[in-house]
Amino acid sequence: MAFRYEPLGRDGRARRGRLHTAHGTVETPAFMPVGTQATVKAMFPEDVASTGAEVVLGNTYHLMLRPTAERVAELGGLHTFMRWKKTILTDSGGFQVMSLSGLRKLAENGVAFQSHIDGSRHLLTPERSVEIQGLLGSDIQMQLDECVRLPAEPAEVERGMRLSLRWAERSRMAFEAMGGPGRGQALFGIVQGGDVPALRVESARELSRMPFEGYSIGGLAVGEPQAVMLAMLDETLPVLPQDKPRYLMGVGTPHDIIEAVARGVDMFDCVMPTRAGRHGVAYTRFGKLNLKNARHADDPAPLDPESDCPATRDYSRAYLHHLVRCGEGLGAMLLTWNNVAYYQSLMKRLRSAIEDGTFEAVRAELGALWAKE
């Protein structure tokens, strides 16, 4: 089936919608657990699905290096390879090339780099990124872009934004030549422009003229203050098409998500809930808990007795504390499961609030809980 975004309602600028993909529907606003290397770390795929997650993210850079996109394709594609029957979004690999690889050289054609694994040399171009994502068989794909790290000089931000626009055109041409739309797949353009409002607006306006199925906002949540990120969203989102989904890449904390939803963002991803779980931190409706703390050692209560998630409901804080202190893998598994479940429950509550017209009240309530974290 063709990829399609279905608007379902609004409350202020907050949007309620539904993505239709070849592997099912995704209710938005949505949070995507990160499955960098074809796995959400420390979780079984069926447990990820049990939290209510309808889409996960895979990473082009990591999968192109190991096990290679060609091997994944030969084995039936990423859905079959990782036993995930629902929607998959893949990023372009550009951010990881800039941040993880060894020696790299950026040029108009693409970026040449050395693998962080074995030092092997590779060239990632807009066309190759789209080809890799097509071999993986992801439902939603990203154009190759350059994410300029902040802070940066305006001239450098502008250079990266204009290069990303040229790469957007090439990515779209490659995507259509490879039959992406005809196979029910989607390609999103990525807005760049750093912390310069005029560049963000220009990037969004130029991308809107290209026939992307959706639009991502990149180059934020890279160390700048939250106020800067939100100001860039205020500048960017009104320029993007109202009938296409908007995806804020790499975000983030519960408070970041709540404030971005209030401004009209539909999709999010972040390693935060899974990484925190592996380091003994739990996200709950009562706030964030560090299970390493000795105060949990004698606490027989679960993280939340009213939760639908077994990891949250059925194991005592004392036991979780014990597992974390001993470095047992089960501790990381249970806390990751809890965190992914919390993020999904947060998104469900935000969706319900938009439907009910109570979003501002819920925003205030949850903002008071998470703004201090």
Side-chain angles (χ1 to χ4, degrees):
M1 64 178 294
F3 177 90
R4 180 168 61 92
Y5 172 69
E6 178 186 2
L8 297 177
R10 300 174 70 113
D11 187 359
R13 286 187 289 167
R15 293 153 42 110
R16 174 77 175 89
R18 181 176 296 132
L19 304 180
H20 296 267
T21 81
H23 288 87
T25 59
V26 179
E27 303 297 324
T28 65
F31 180 83
M32 301 178 284
V34 174
T36 301
Q37 304 195 74
T39 174
V40 177
K41 292 184 188 299
M43 291 192 72
F44 292 108
E46 53 268 34
D47 291 337
V48 177
S50 76
T51 67
E54 296 171 320
V55 52
V56 298
L57 181 145
N59 180 260
T60 289
Y61 170 84
H62 289 281
L63 294 173
M64 72 177 282
L65 296 178
R66 187 174 55 190
T68 77
E70 286 75 11
R71 179 169 292 162
V72 172
E74 290 171 0
L75 292 168
L78 191 54
H79 291 86
T80 299
F81 187 60
M82 65 183 291
R83 293 188 67 249
W84 179 257
K85 298 179 180 180
K86 301 184 179 188
T87 300
I88 295 177
L89 178 148
T90 46
D91 61 17
S92 70
F95 179 81
Q96 286 73 26
V97 167
M98 303 301 174
S99 61
L100 292 181
S101 63
L103 296 175
R104 58 189 179 272
K105 184 176 181 181
L106 184 69
E108 184 68 32
N109 185 47
V111 56
F113 67 95
Q114 284 186 291
S115 164
H116 75 288
I117 299 171
D118 60 9
S120 58
R121 295 180 180 274
H122 302 266
L123 175 64
L124 189 62
T125 66
E127 294 80 9
R128 177 58 177 157
S129 176
V130 168
E131 179 187 18
I132 291 167
Q133 294 178 79
L135 288 167
L136 296 173
S138 55
D139 302 284
I140 304 172
Q141 303 169 12
M142 297 293 125
Q143 70 148 105
L144 184 65
D145 66 325
E146 182 190 1
C147 178
V148 175
R149 287 189 172 277
L150 299 178
E153 293 297 322
E156 176 67 4
V157 173
E158 181 175 3
R159 183 203 57 75
M161 183 273 283
R162 298 199 183 282
L163 179 62
S164 295
L165 282 177
R166 295 192 295 274
W167 284 0
E169 291 185 288
R170 289 169 55 189
S171 296
R172 187 68 206 182
M173 291 176 63
F175 180 72
E176 294 186 357
M178 294 174 190
R183 296 184 300 194
Q185 297 170 329
L187 180 70
F188 284 20
I190 302 178
V191 176
Q192 288 291 348
D195 55 359
V196 183
L199 295 179
R200 284 280 172 185
V201 169
E202 182 179 355
S203 177
R205 184 173 292 120
E206 292 301 314
L207 286 171
S208 297
R209 296 191 175 106
M210 304 180 200
F212 289 109
E213 285 76 24
Y215 296 88
S216 305
I217 300 97
L220 295 174
V222 290
E224 80 282 0
Q226 185 197 54
V228 172
M229 180 189 76
L230 297 179
M232 293 305 101
L233 292 179
D234 286 333
E235 296 286 346
T236 302
L237 292 170
V239 183
L240 293 174
Q242 295 293 309
D243 61 346
K244 301 287 182 71
R246 295 96 164 262
Y247 162 32
L248 179 56
M249 306 178 78
V251 173
T253 69
H255 194 245
D256 284 345
I257 290 172
I258 294 161
E259 288 304 306
V261 167
R263 289 161 169 80
V265 174
D266 305 301
M267 303 166 65
F268 304 87
D269 81 280
C270 190
V271 298
M272 189 169 294
T274 48
R275 180 177 290 168
R278 299 194 307 277
H279 288 84
V281 174
Y283 286 86
T284 77
R285 65 187 175 98
F286 311 110
K288 192 162 65 172
L289 301 175
N290 187 343
L291 272 300
K292 294 178 183 178
N293 289 345
R295 66 187 178 92
H296 300 295
D298 298 311
D299 191 343
L303 293 172
D304 185 350
E306 298 180 13
S307 173
D308 293 331
C309 175
T312 309
R313 182 191 63 226
D314 298 341
Y315 296 86
S316 72
R317 300 182 187 201
Y319 182 58
L320 295 170
H321 169 79
H322 163 73
L323 294 175
V324 170
R325 291 296 296 271
C326 293
E328 287 290 341
L330 181 59
M333 293 173 66
L334 291 173
L335 290 176
T336 300
W337 191 1
N338 164 82
N339 289 350
V340 172
Y342 174 75
Y343 267 64
Q344 295 305 324
S345 69
L346 171 65
M347 304 315 295
K348 183 177 180 180
R349 186 159 186 211
L350 294 176
R351 291 193 297 266
S352 296
I354 296 170
E355 292 172 0
D356 298 341
T358 59
F359 179 79
E360 284 304 319
V362 170
R363 176 187 181 186
E365 176 192 339
L366 294 174
L369 174 67
W370 288 113
K372 62 181 183 293
E373 296 291 348

